[in-house]
Amino acid sequence: MRRHEFQPGRLLAGLVLVAAGVLYLLDATGEADLPWFLAIPMTVGGLCLAALVGVVTYAVRRDRRDRITESSDR
């Protein structure tokens, strides 16, 4: 497999969804009592945070790429 760039937004989204899945699994087995109105905002908030991290990562990489092409054009 070829190396790919690190994408922290996707990592964060995956961790949030895994955490929500684990909480639902614990609720289904009776280990924890998870109200539905707690899980949905946690998941949506985590996905919004992941989107924000992805946008910031894209902006930083785009700025670096633009600086590199400017310096090589001169």
Side-chain angles (χ1 to χ4, degrees), residues 2-74:
R2 293 182 0 200
R3 271 187 82 106
H4 58 279
E5 62 187 10
F6 177 63
Q7 296 177 341
R10 288 186 180 188
L11 174 66
L12 185 58
L15 290 175
V16 165
L17 292 176
V18 165
V22 166
L23 287 175
Y24 270 119
L25 180 66
L26 289 174
D27 186 40
T29 60
E31 296 292 324
D33 187 27
L34 178 70
W36 67 269
F37 56 84
L38 178 68
I40 292 173
M42 180 189 72
T43 303
V44 171
L47 291 177
C48 289
L49 182 63
L52 179 66
V53 169
V55 167
V56 169
T57 303
Y58 174 75
V60 167
R61 288 185 179 158
R62 183 175 159 201
D63 185 47
R64 276 191 197 157
R65 187 174 50 236
D66 290 345
R67 278 196 238 154
I68 289 172
T69 57
E70 279 181 8
S71 65
S72 66
D73 287 343
R74 291 183 182 184

